[in-house]
Amino acid sequence: MEWQTFVDEPAVIAVAVLALGFVVGYLVGKLNKELLNAAGVSDAVEGTPFERTAQSLGTSTVEIVARISSWFIYGIAVLTAIHIAELLPTDAFWARIIEFIPQLFIAVLVLILGFIIADKAELVVSEYLRGVKLPEVAIIPKVVKYSVLYIAFIVALDQVGVAVFALLILLAVYAIGIVIVGGYAFKDFLVSSAAGIYLLLNQPYSIGDQVKIGDHSGIVQEVDLFVTKIEDDSEEFIVPNRKVFEEGVVRIRG
């Protein structure tokens, strides 16, 4: 009878729940780490600034996400144990906290994923545009990165109940601004790409031809969507395709 009474004590039940919560949290963290590695997440984030920062701190992106899942279980266990032990009688307060914890967990996870996706998007776009020798192109990867971060920030704030209507309006203004300013700033980029499409389709000259474009003359080494590369005996010239249309091209017959 005394043993049954002891077991039924709220403090004992609270301790048992706390212990069980920490065991489950540890196992969930381990399982999530294995699942993330098996899904190839560690390879996907390799080389991103977020992953390099995590490694400099002696951890990794996968470990951070796995630990967050463990901390979520720990937090729920602690709050449940406090409630069972009746250390604080404010049921409404703890009900709100228990409701808020999952939202906070999702918000943090969204921010981490936002940083990872933003870093990866910047790397992918930079790699894709690496061969484009136009100065305007350098800003595009940064625009992509911070656009993804801004959206992740809005989603995270919305998860924790922060009013984001004003931020959504700013996002719309930002998108419109990108279109207007980008259209003006990248007009040469767009013209060069349109000219490149024409050159690639019609091929007025090809690799190995000796040509003169404006003040530059030499043998064509490469023609891509944005630029034409020609070189003579000592110099290589990278000519935006729009200049081919503006200045004309002379094909020198040997």
Side-chain angles (χ1 to χ4, degrees), residues 27-123:
L27 294 177
V28 167
K30 283 288 189 182
L31 178 62
N32 281 340
K33 183 178 178 180
E34 294 297 328
L35 291 175
L36 291 171
N37 283 326
V41 174
S42 55
D43 294 332
V45 300
E46 186 66 32
T48 62
F50 188 92
E51 175 68 9
R52 290 199 299 268
T53 301
Q55 289 179 352
S56 70
L57 297 174
T59 183
S60 67
T61 302
V62 168
E63 288 183 359
I64 290 174
V65 174
R67 286 176 185 175
I68 288 176
S69 63
S70 294
W71 294 339
F72 172 69
I73 303 295
Y74 298 156
I76 293 295
V78 169
L79 292 175
T80 304
I82 291 175
H83 180 70
I84 292 173
E86 299 178 350
L87 297 180
L88 291 174
T90 52
D91 292 343
F93 171 76
W94 287 112
R96 181 70 186 103
I97 288 294
I98 292 174
E99 179 185 351
F100 178 73
I101 289 294
Q103 297 172 338
L104 181 61
F105 169 75
I106 294 173
V108 172
L109 191 60
V110 166
L111 283 177
I112 291 176
L113 290 176
F115 274 100
I116 294 171
I117 293 172
D119 288 340
K120 196 67 177 180
E122 182 184 20
L123 288 175

Side-chain angles (χ1 to χ4, degrees), residues 137-171:
V137 172
I139 196 175
I140 293 180
K142 292 294 183 184
V143 171
V144 172
K145 175 181 179 177
Y146 290 113
S147 297
V148 173
L149 286 177
Y150 189 84
I151 293 172
F153 183 67
I154 291 177
V155 174
L157 288 178
D158 184 60
Q159 284 296 317
V160 295
V162 176
V164 296
F165 182 71
L167 293 176
L168 289 174
I169 293 177
L170 286 177
L171 178 62

Side-chain angles (χ1 to χ4, degrees), residues 104-240:
L104 181 61
F105 169 75
I106 294 173
V108 172
L109 191 60
V110 166
L111 283 177
I112 291 176
L113 290 176
F115 274 100
I116 294 171
I117 293 172
D119 288 340
K120 196 67 177 180
E122 182 184 20
L123 288 175
V124 170
V125 174
S126 296
E127 182 67 21
Y128 181 76
L129 298 175
R130 186 174 59 178
V132 181
K133 305 300 183 180
L134 296 176
E136 300 92 342
V137 172
I139 196 175
I140 293 180
K142 292 294 183 184
V143 171
V144 172
K145 175 181 179 177
Y146 290 113
S147 297
V148 173
L149 286 177
Y150 189 84
I151 293 172
F153 183 67
I154 291 177
V155 174
L157 288 178
D158 184 60
Q159 284 296 317
V160 295
V162 176
V164 296
F165 182 71
L167 293 176
L168 289 174
I169 293 177
L170 286 177
L171 178 62
V173 173
Y174 169 77
I176 294 171
I178 287 292
V179 172
I180 295 174
V181 175
Y184 177 79
F186 294 99
K187 60 181 181 180
D188 290 342
F189 173 79
L190 297 173
V191 171
S192 288
S193 62
I197 293 173
Y198 174 84
L199 293 175
L200 290 171
L201 290 175
N202 291 276
Q203 297 185 344
Y205 52 84
S206 57
I207 295 174
D209 289 344
Q210 187 171 1
V211 299
K212 180 179 181 182
I213 302 174
D215 296 330
H216 306 308
S217 62
I219 297 175
V220 177
Q221 300 297 315
E222 182 181 345
V223 182
D224 64 23
L225 188 60
F226 304 102
V227 298
T228 294
K229 298 179 182 179
I230 60 177
E231 67 176 26
D232 58 16
D233 294 336
S234 59
E235 296 178 299
E236 181 183 50
F237 305 105
I238 300 173
V239 184

